[in-house]
């Protein structure tokens, strides 16, 4: 299993710091787990392969392109910094 951890400063509260851990088995396209923490509370969730396919179809994006955008937003390091915004609600 692979995991990444990144610091997130959401546009909804730029002074706040969250930590986002993403874990997956083969690749993000087969589904992944999420853990989000503000160091006081933590929230977890899972995204299935079917969820990914459904979301890509909903926004009318090629599935492979959608998975690549997920990788850039959730996993990639400094090369994607500032290109993706997070809103915590």
């Amino acid at each position: 299993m692979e995991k990444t951890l990144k610091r997130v400063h959401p546009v909804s509260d730029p002074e706040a710091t969250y930590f986002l851990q993403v874990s997956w088995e083969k690749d993000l396209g087969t589904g992944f787990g999420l853990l989000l923490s503000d160091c006081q509370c933590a929230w977890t969730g899972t995204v299935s392969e079917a969820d990914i396919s459904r979301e890509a179809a909903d926004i009318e994006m090629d599935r492979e392109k959608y998975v690549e955008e997920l990788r850039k937003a959730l996993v990639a390091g400094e090369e994607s910094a500032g290109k993706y915004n997070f809103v915590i609600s």
Side-chain angles (χ1 to χ4, degrees):
M1 174 174 283
E2 294 189 55
K3 292 182 182 181
T4 63
L5 180 66
K6 72 188 301 182
R7 188 173 311 172
V8 175
H9 298 283
V11 294
S12 54
D13 185 4
E15 299 300 315
T17 300
Y18 289 81
F19 295 91
L20 177 65
Q21 178 181 292
V22 180
S23 57
W24 65 96
E25 289 293 331
K26 297 176 186 173
D27 63 59
L28 288 181
T30 60
F32 53 92
L34 296 167
L35 183 136
L36 180 69
S37 177
D38 64 0
C39 295
Q40 293 179 6
C41 297
W43 303 270
T44 63
T46 57
V47 178
S48 70
E49 186 170 2
D51 293 331
I52 293 167
S53 294
R54 186 173 37 257
E55 187 69 24
D58 286 350
I59 63 172
E60 299 178 351
M61 182 183 279
D62 175 72
R63 187 181 185 286
E64 295 307 313
K65 174 71 174 157
Y66 183 69
V67 170
E68 180 59 21
E69 291 300 318
L70 283 174
R71 188 195 68 73
K72 290 177 186 175
L74 300 176
V75 176
E78 293 300 314
E79 69 270 15
S80 69
K83 293 182 181 179
Y84 297 91
N85 294 318
F86 294 87
V87 175
I88 309 295
S89 60

